Amino acid sequence: MEKNLITSSKVKFEVTNEALKLIPSGTDLLYSKVTFGYIFRDEHGVEALFKLECYQDDVTFYFEAKSGIVNIIQMTELEFDEKTNDMKKCHLCLNESELKESEEQKARRIKNNIFLQEKGIITNNNLMCNDANMQIRPVDEIIKRAVASLIVIQVACDINYDQFSEESMAKAIFLLDNFGVKDALNSKEERIMNLCYTKQDCLDMDWAYETNWALLWALGLIDDDIRNPNILADCEKAMSLLKGSSLKKIKDCCKVRSLDEILDMYDLYYRYQWATNELCLQQEFNPIIINDDVIVERRRGLEWLLSPCTDDWYDIDLYA
């Protein structure tokens, strides 16, 4: 079955990366733009027609993908338009314009796009909500994940800033036992606690403060507005939740947000990530600075909240 991929930044990014390998060395790509005539997937793989306009060198390169293999081709602008139109006549998926979404999803899409546009951030009105049939994980499971993560994050931070000691590790082990959350550790956290981590594991765990911040927001343990990815998580506030507490005490303080509110935030960060991916894909300067690391991590947390079949949030594919 054929599927139009014109709104898939992930696939477009992949074929564009392959195309860049075919461009003559020395080509100035600083001021350039990629435009797709079409891109779709069938049983043989990805097919696409696209061009890369290099304004500094005043040259345009044309590319065609067949069965997922990208080649550079000789073509004029007129031929590019003609082939695009011919393909749309032959492949009905390329003419699909109706968004298959509920009224709630449509309202969510419009609201979040307006919010981003008011901030000067690019949007894609054809990017459908992908939150159908999503449900929130059980509260107890979310609390255990949040607590386990916070404990190991502190160990990772100690390692990153050369403050690690046997005492800090002993404290982390005590807290994991005391809260009863050893079974909630993910792959990176287990490697850190087993002292078989990589440098990247510790760096990733430092950013996990933002992943955790999304969980604490969803649980209603913080009142902060997390819609702005340039306002970082309050690490001290997050860690204060562990002081003299227990899972039961934390649960008693929870005011879990509604599914609609969480889906609104999930969709917003989905659109944030699409914007950062698209700017990278088009190799355009972003006049509005948005912290893409925060975006990825908060989206990871929100995605995990709504993906009960995936235990480790580092196994989640964060395409946009």
Side-chain angles (χ1 to χ4, degrees):
M1 182 178 178
E2 294 181 350
K3 181 179 181 181
N4 189 1
L5 300 175
I6 200 63
T7 62
S8 175
S9 290
K10 179 184 177 182
V11 179
K12 289 160 68 178
F13 186 78
E14 289 172 352
V15 298
T16 301
N17 270 348
E18 291 302 310
L20 292 176
K21 299 175 184 177
L22 306 175
I23 294 176
S25 60
T27 303
D28 191 335
L29 298 174
L30 182 59
Y31 299 101
S32 60
K33 181 179 180 180
V34 177
T35 303
F36 279 80
Y38 60 82
I39 179 168
F40 67 98
R41 178 185 284 114
D42 61 14
E43 65 272 17
H44 303 296
V46 173
E47 288 204 24
L49 181 70
F50 58 104
K51 60 184 178 180
L52 173 64
E53 299 170 88
C54 302
Y55 301 119
Q56 195 70 24
D57 294 331
D58 192 24
V59 62
T60 300
F61 298 98
Y62 295 90
F63 303 91
E64 187 175 52
K66 287 279 192 181
S67 301
I69 306 299
V70 179
N71 290 300
I72 193 166
I73 59 176
Q74 295 295 320
M75 180 173 276
T76 65
E77 186 67 18
L78 178 60
E79 290 170 335
F80 180 87
D81 292 337
E82 287 178 344
K83 181 157 188 181
T84 296
N85 291 330
D86 288 343
M87 289 295 285
K88 287 182 178 180
K89 292 176 184 177
C90 298
H91 298 272
L92 297 180
C93 75
L94 299 179
N95 297 295
E96 292 178 355
S97 58
E98 182 182 357
L99 299 179
K100 298 178 176 66
E101 59 186 5
S102 66
E103 288 301 314
E104 291 81 3
Q105 290 174 316
K106 180 180 178 180
R108 182 173 295 125
R109 169 172 56 87
I110 292 172
K111 178 176 68 175
N112 282 334
N113 278 345
I114 290 174
F115 175 83
L116 293 173
Q117 289 162 6
E118 289 175 346
K119 304 294 182 183
I121 299 169
I122 62 171
T123 59
N124 179 358
N125 201 44
N126 289 321
L127 188 65
M128 292 183 289
C129 287
N130 66 340
D131 55 17
N133 302 317
M134 284 184 164
Q135 295 295 325
I136 306 172
R137 287 175 183 263
V139 174
D140 290 340
E141 186 178 348
I142 301 171
I143 295 172
K144 288 185 70 174
R145 173 89 287 275
V147 170
S149 176
L150 283 173
I151 293 169
V152 185
I153 284 172
Q154 192 57 58
V155 177
C157 289
D158 287 345
I159 294 170
N160 288 334
Y161 299 106
D162 296 323
Q163 296 176 349
F164 177 77
S165 65
E166 291 184 4
E167 289 77 13
S168 62
M169 176 59 85
K171 179 181 178 181
I173 293 172
F174 169 79
L175 288 173
L176 289 172
D177 287 335
N178 192 50
F179 279 100
V181 294
K182 270 188 175 180
D183 60 339
L185 297 178
N186 63 33
S187 56
K188 292 183 189 292
E189 293 161 358
E190 286 182 345
R191 288 197 292 271
I192 289 170
M193 293 305 298
N194 292 327
L195 298 180
C196 59
Y197 56 83
T198 65
K199 183 177 181 180
Q200 191 60 51
D201 286 337
C202 292
L203 292 174
D204 290 345
M205 283 301 299
D206 204 340
W207 277 109
Y209 264 125
E210 298 297 340
T211 322
N212 209 296
W213 200 237
L215 268 59
L216 301 182
W217 172 84
L219 289 169
L221 292 171
I222 58 169
D223 295 326
D224 303 55
D225 183 355
I226 68 168
R227 289 181 298 172
N228 186 345
N230 289 333
I231 300 177
L232 301 181
D234 187 332
C235 303
E236 290 187 7
K237 182 185 288 189
M239 292 303 299
S240 70
L241 295 171
L242 302 182
K243 293 180 181 178
S245 192
S246 65
L247 293 183
K248 183 180 185 305
K249 288 180 180 178
I250 293 174
K251 185 175 182 179
D252 290 342
C253 293
C254 288
K255 298 178 182 177
V256 182
R257 299 178 190 273
S258 69
L259 177 61
D260 282 342
E261 191 175 0
I262 293 173
L263 289 177
D264 282 350
M265 192 66 71
Y266 164 80
D267 181 71
L268 176 63
Y269 272 88
Y270 176 56
R271 295 176 191 282
Y272 266 133
Q273 193 171 358
W274 179 89
T276 58
N277 288 350
E278 190 68 11
L279 288 168
C280 179
L281 180 64
Q282 298 294 348
Q283 299 186 30
E284 292 182 359
F285 173 71
N286 178 13
I288 308 297
I289 303 301
I290 48 178
N291 196 322
D292 53 350
D293 290 317
V294 172
I295 289 168
V296 168
E297 294 305 325
R298 289 187 185 170
R299 186 180 167 209
R300 190 191 310 280
L302 294 166
E303 189 89 43
W304 180 86
L305 273 171
L306 299 163
S307 305
C309 294
T310 305
D311 290 331
D312 191 332
W313 62 31
Y314 290 110
D315 290 337
I316 296 173
D317 185 3
L318 299 175
Y319 68 90

